[in-house]
Amino acid sequence: MDNVVIEALVRALAVGTPLLLACLGAILNERAGVVNLGVEGLMAVGALAAFAVAAGSPDANLWLAVGAAMLAGAALALLHAVATVTLRANQFVSGLALALIGTGAAGLLGKRFEGLPLFNKVADWTLGSFTISPFTVAALLLAGAMAFWLGATRSGLTLRSVGENPAAADVLGVNVGLTRVLAVLGGGALAGMAGAFLALSYRSSWADNMTAGLGWIAVALVIFVGWRPLRAIAGALFFGFLYYLQFRLQGNSPIPTEVFSAMPFVLVLVVLALAGMRGQAGNAPAALGRAYVRGER
Amino acid sequence: MRFVSLSAPSTARAALVTLASLVTALLICALIFTLAGQSPAEVYGTMLRGTLGDATGLGEVGRRTIPLLLIGAGLALAFRAQFFNIGAEGQLLLGAVFAAGTALFVPLPGPLLLPAVFVAGFVGGGLWALIAAALRRVNVNEILSTLMLNYVAVALVTYLIAGPWKGKDVRGYIYTDTFPASTYLPTLPGSQVHWPTLLLGVAVALGLQWVLSRSTFGYALRVVGENPGAARYAGLSSGRVALLVALITGGAAGLAGAGEVAGIHHRLLEAGQISLGYGFTAVIVAWLARGNPALCLITAPVMGIILAGGDILKIDLNLPFRVVDIFSGVILLCLIASEVFVRHRVQWGRA
């Protein structure tokens, strides 16, 4: 019995890790007032960059691979920052374009890595029958650190003020545009790291469309957890557990497989609707989704 | 650098900015191709020769123009009402499902069956979009909900063709039996251009343009989209407008789905074979047309060239079909990032 519980927890943590990392990234830029729906694309380029650095050589530097993934995520996110912060484009549509560019570019540039082996994957840590990826530990620590930083430090407050009331922050001398650009870059780097986890640890290979909708679920998760980093841990675990159920019940039950493949997406809708009915949307940063133009209300 | 508001931006300025952003997008794509080790000149040359160079290519562009026109015209209307429907892919699939269900299982006499198939397609697509409109009433962002519904629609199609609707005479494959012959649409000789659906698309685009610019509902829709505060003050229900808009835009995508199965496949088959990425590409069709359904008559064939070109690149240069996503994404990004230049002029230096 204990083994079943441990296995469920191990699997839920594993699938939950990319969700948590990407969700933390999205919380970071949304708390600064910028929505980025392009997480799916950011994860895809992150996964590709990590795999491109690590594949083919047994002594590839994995730190470098993770760094490359975060850099790739940030670089793609820079497009979003320029479009939405500098050029005041619609944040939702720009994010959608980013998702298309990211998955498309990863598919085109990654074709040569398809089927290549990864000699040097990020090994899991083992404690008896319990295994955990270093990525998971990093994600959990990061959630705690981000909660503390946003809630209790001056720079965290500055970031939040830009998302809640950019005009007031501007009057107090905060550089609204720069803060938002940095938040978007940070969000991109974390989504890239989520992709690195998929390529270097979870699947340890590269395939087109390997993100398989996880990025979209991460975006929805932000609303579900009310823009709070610590709650994101519970949210990511919950959806990780769902994926584990799908994996376990597939083929072992009279329910058709397609029900399980649709389940995470149906559940996102249910969860968002519940959050909406509870008035969760009221937790959103007040200036979320709107470009800031000095002198305009 | 700062932006100075223009009081009355001209149509010529909008057209020029649109054209400039298209050119910029193609240059950025060229850069990405160079990174992937391809010569951009060869890529663009291959695309143009393969699509516009001969009758076969033109037929492939025409075939893809049909769903793009239907969906794009509906999306143009939806975007004007600030209803960001990104789920046309799923609505097209549901249209195909409803159309296939009618063609396969509803015992209607020949001449009545084909219209019923299209009505069913409209209803299927419309209902799928209505879910998103209903969810918006409880503050669920429609971009997320329509996207999630895409994944659900794909699972539904797979379930039907592999399970209860699986054809009696097919072995090894997953698709339904073929429809009765009375539902087959005629095609232009030597191509898969099912012209009755094309005519329907032209009628829908012109009709929706009329609705948008001449009808009371169109006026309400534009007010709700451009100034929600004023709409509320005038007693216009943005919820009701959103429901109707969802029904129209989803229904148009559903018609496209019905046209694909009745005009080309004559059966329900895998989601990836019914839609060659029409739902997302149509977003660009609508955005290029800047929210004017009638202008989709021009922008749908343009994106049709890119979609058909993607297939040519797959065959001739062995590139993944994903290059179409790059084109779509870069064009979309350049379009929305250039919008500020339509309504503002740039002033260099400090104020």
Side-chain angles (χ1 to χ4, degrees):
Chain A
M1 187 62 211
D2 270 358
N3 273 341
V4 178
V5 177
I6 289 183
E7 196 204 334
L9 186 64
V10 166
R11 302 292 306 177
L13 274 171
V15 189
T17 299
L19 286 176
L20 179 57
L21 283 170
C23 179
L24 289 175
I27 289 176
L28 185 68
N29 48 240
E30 292 200 15
R31 276 298 188 86
V34 184
V35 179
N36 188 349
L37 294 185
V39 177
E40 182 86 0
L42 298 167
M43 278 171 74
V45 294
L48 176 64
F51 195 78
V53 171
S57 154
D59 43 37
N61 187 335
L62 292 174
W63 289 104
L64 208 64
V66 176
M70 295 178 73
L71 209 65
L76 186 60
L78 182 64
L79 284 182
H80 186 62
V82 171
T84 59
V85 179
T86 314
L87 298 174
R88 308 170 197 171
N90 183 313
Q91 295 180 3
F92 293 95
V93 185
S94 169
L96 181 73
L98 212 63
L100 285 170
I101 297 172
T103 48
L108 174 67
L109 300 172
K111 199 161 185 268
R112 69 187 89 158
F113 296 106
E114 221 150 17
L116 279 188
L118 188 71
F119 297 109
N120 192 9
K121 69 173 268 183
V122 176
D124 286 349
W125 291 336
T126 319
L127 295 160
S129 59
F130 183 78
T131 60
I132 192 165
S133 167
F135 278 102
T136 314
V137 177
L140 293 171
L141 291 177
L142 208 64
M146 193 187 280
F148 173 78
W149 179 63
L150 283 175
T153 68
R154 192 183 163 83
S155 52
L157 178 68
T158 305
L159 180 113
R160 283 188 290 132
S161 71
V162 164
E164 296 288 349
N165 194 339
D170 192 8
V171 169
L172 291 174
V174 174
N175 188 334
V176 174
L178 183 67
T179 309
R180 286 189 162 182
V181 169
L182 289 177
V184 171
L185 293 186
L190 285 178
M193 188 173 164
F197 167 78
L198 290 178
L200 300 178
S201 171
Y202 188 69
R203 292 188 210 270
S204 44
S205 65
W206 191 88
D208 186 29
N209 200 24
M210 66 188 283
T211 47
L214 284 175
W216 296 112
I217 293 188
V219 171
L221 209 54
V222 179
I223 304 167
F224 177 44
V225 302
W227 292 266
R228 299 220 182 87
L230 286 179
R231 278 210 214 158
I233 298 176
L237 259 179
F238 174 66
F239 274 92
F241 182 68
L242 263 183
Y243 272 93
Y244 165 72
L245 269 189
Q246 174 188 346
F247 171 78
R248 273 305 294 268
L249 295 177
Q250 222 160 34
N252 299 326
S253 74
I255 307 166
T257 337
E258 290 81 17
V259 173
F260 292 110
S261 43
M263 197 169 63
F265 302 102
V266 174
L267 237 108
V268 163
L269 288 177
V270 172
V271 152
L272 286 182
L274 289 177
M277 281 180 213
R278 280 212 323 265
Q280 186 100 312
N283 290 344
L288 185 65
R290 287 205 306 271
Y292 173 64
V293 182
R294 188 178 281 176
E296 264 180 30
R297 276 196 305 157
Chain B
M1 176 180 118
R2 58 195 204 100
F3 296 113
V4 181
S5 229
L6 295 168
S7 50
S10 68
T11 317
R13 189 179 174 91
L16 205 69
V17 170
T18 306
L19 211 62
S21 61
L22 252 183
V23 171
T24 313
L26 291 179
L27 287 175
I28 294 176
C29 289
L31 189 75
I32 298 177
F33 287 125
T34 315
L35 281 177
Q38 299 285 337
S39 140
E42 193 188 353
V43 168
Y44 287 138
T46 310
M47 278 178 89
L48 284 180
R49 268 195 311 280
T51 52
L52 302 179
D54 56 24
T56 321
L58 283 174
E60 289 297 306
V61 173
R63 174 201 162 179
R64 286 164 180 76
T65 301
I66 299 170
L68 290 179
L69 176 60
L70 273 165
I71 304 173
L75 288 182
L77 188 82
F79 292 163
R80 287 291 278 272
Q82 299 283 309
F83 183 79
F84 291 109
N85 174 17
I86 308 299
E89 193 81 13
Q91 291 141 22
L92 178 148
L93 291 176
L94 259 287
V97 164
F98 272 54
T102 308
L104 288 169
F105 307 117
V106 178
L108 277 174
L112 287 181
L113 190 53
L114 186 57
V117 161
F118 272 88
V119 170
F122 182 89
V123 172
L127 286 179
W128 206 241
L130 273 184
I131 300 176
L135 281 170
R136 195 158 98 145
R137 295 214 154 173
V138 287
N139 291 317
V140 179
N141 178 296
E142 72 274 14
I143 296 190
L144 283 176
S145 60
T146 51
L147 259 166
M148 298 292 154
L149 287 169
N150 283 346
Y151 287 95
V152 182
V154 171
L156 177 68
V157 170
T158 315
Y159 165 70
L160 286 175
I161 58 174
W165 288 11
K166 187 170 189 227
K168 290 177 212 69
D169 312 325
V170 293
R171 282 189 209 91
Y173 297 98
I174 49 167
Y175 43 64
T176 64
D177 288 324
T178 45
F179 300 164
S182 62
T183 62
Y184 291 14
L185 291 172
T187 51
L188 294 181
S191 76
Q192 289 184 312
V193 179
H194 39 110
W195 55 266
T197 323
L198 183 60
L199 290 183
L200 181 67
V202 173
V204 166
L206 295 177
L208 289 184
Q209 186 68 51
W210 183 86
V211 166
L212 188 65
S213 48
R214 293 268 180 273
S215 74
T216 323
F217 169 64
Y219 180 71
L221 185 158
R222 280 181 285 137
V223 176
V224 165
E226 282 156 29
N227 196 340
R232 218 172 304 125
Y233 188 69
L236 294 167
S237 158
S238 66
R240 197 176 314 144
V241 168
L243 284 177
L244 254 173
V245 163
L247 188 68
I248 294 172
T249 173
L255 287 177
E260 289 306 292
V261 290
I264 296 175
H265 308 294
H266 310 309
R267 52 162 47 115
L268 190 67
L269 64 181
E270 277 178 73
Q273 286 173 290
I274 301 174
S275 173
L276 312 173
Y278 297 132
F280 285 115
T281 313
V283 172
I284 331 290
V285 169
W287 218 274
L288 263 178
R290 296 211 177 261
N292 296 297
L295 278 184
C296 293
L297 290 170
I298 301 168
T299 58
V302 170
M303 292 312 290
I305 294 173
I306 285 175
L307 263 190
D311 268 321
I312 303 282
L313 291 179
K314 193 164 78 176
I315 298 161
D316 286 5
L317 298 182
N318 197 23
L319 294 180
F321 189 66
R322 287 260 174 204
V323 292
V324 169
D325 287 347
I326 303 180
F327 277 119
S328 301
V330 173
I331 294 176
L332 185 59
L333 191 72
C334 288
L335 275 176
I336 59 163
S338 72
E339 242 159 54
V340 70
F341 299 107
V342 176
R343 269 176 241 113
H344 301 80
R345 67 187 168 79
V346 180
Q347 197 173 64
W348 297 97
R350 296 207 161 262

